Structure formats: C-alpha cells, structure tokens
Amino acid sequence: EQWKTPYELIGGEEMVAKLVEAFYSRVAKHPDLQPIFPDDLTETARKQKQFLTQYLGGPPLYTEEHGHPMLRARHLPFEITPTRAKAWLSCMREAMDEVGLAGKARDELYQRLVLTAQHMINTPEHDR
Ligand code: HEM
C-alpha cells in the first residue's frame, strides 16, 4: 500500500486512457483550445497517455519513444496564454469528473497540473 505510485493509485493504464480520451473530446470542442490543436487528436492523445503515465510514476513510456519531455520547449510553437492555460485545466477537471477520478490522488494530480500548466504559458493575453 505504502509504496504504490500515483499511477497505481488512480487505476493505472485503464484510468489514464479514459482520462485522456475524456480530456481531448473536451479540448476538441473548446473555443479557446480548438484553434491551436490538430483536427485529428489521435496522436496527441497517444503521446499524452505516454506522458501522464510517467508523470504519475508509471513506466517511462514518453521518454522511451520521444526523449526528454522538455514540455515548455515543445509548447513554444503554440501561443499559450493565461486564458488557454485556464481552459486546459477546466477541460482536465471536467474529464476527471466524467471518469470518476476523485479523492486525494485526484487532488494531488490536479495541483501538479496547475503548476505545469502555468509553466507552459509563453504569451501574454491578447485579442484573438
Ligand atoms: C502537446 C497545448 C498544457 C502535455 C500540445 C500541443 C498543443 C498543446 C497545441 C500540440 C498538439 C499536437 O500537435 O499534437 C497546450 C495548452 C496547454 C498545455 C494550451 C495549457 C497550459 C500541457 C500540460 C501538459 C501538456 C499541463 C502536461 C501535463 C503535452 C504533451 C504534448 C502536448 C505531452 C505532446 C508533446 C509532443 O509532441 O511530443 N499541447 N498544452 N500540455 N502537451 Fe500540451
């Protein structure tokens, strides 16, 4: 019990897959996010499953295939404004609700994602 990773605690591969699917179906419809994402989110979702798996302490799937995440650098081609960071996090909260991810493990994951999302901001607010 004591040594379980957050990945195991939230339900492993199955929960990560459900969460990521629920998340990108919201991203695809969100007016602040849809313009900067590809129309086909299959590959994006595949990479995000790999990334979140290792972020949660599971196997290092993302790094095995793509190398060091360098997440802020990989986001530089996109204008990540404070509004978009808030939108990303709201899609994630709704996805967590949809898949029934609750409790301490959810709260801890969400708090880390808030910090990571803030770190991705690379563009001040502007009129689109
Ligand atoms: C890729 C937007 C935050 C993890 C992307 C892409 C966009 C994007 C547009 C490229 C999608 C593609 O071309 O396939 C955003 C926005 C964020 C945000 C607006 C708001 C703050 C985050 C956070 C994480 C994250 C917090 C980590 C938990 C990733 C990963 C990829 C990605 C792993 C794939 C990188 C790759 O191409 O290998 N994001 N992102 N993003 N994002 Fe974010």
Side-chain angles (χ1 to χ4, degrees), residues 18 55 82 87 119 125:
K18 284 200 303 194
Y55 188 77
H119 182 60
E125 219 56 75

Side-chain angles (χ1 to χ4, degrees), residues 19-29 37 41 44-45 48:
L19 179 64
V20 168
E21 293 305 324
F23 173 70
Y24 284 110
S25 54
R26 286 179 166 73
V27 167
K29 289 182 271 177
F37 277 88
L41 289 168
T44 312
Q48 187 63 272

Side-chain angles (χ1 to χ4, degrees), residues 7 49-64:
Y7 177 70
K49 283 175 202 164
Q50 294 174 322
F51 179 80
L52 285 179
T53 297
Q54 75 184 51
Y55 188 77
L56 286 160
L61 303 179
Y62 183 90
T63 296
E64 276 169 12

Side-chain angles (χ1 to χ4, degrees), residues 36-38 44 47-48 51 62 71 75 78 80 85 88 113 117:
I36 60 167
F37 277 88
T44 312
K47 288 177 178 168
Q48 187 63 272
F51 179 80
Y62 183 90
L71 270 196
H75 284 76
F78 311 101
I80 316 280
W88 193 104
L113 290 171

Side-chain angles (χ1 to χ4, degrees), residues 68-81:
H68 191 288
M70 305 182 299
L71 270 196
R72 193 169 193 284
R74 289 192 206 261
H75 284 76
L76 286 179
F78 311 101
E79 291 188 348
I80 316 280
T81 59

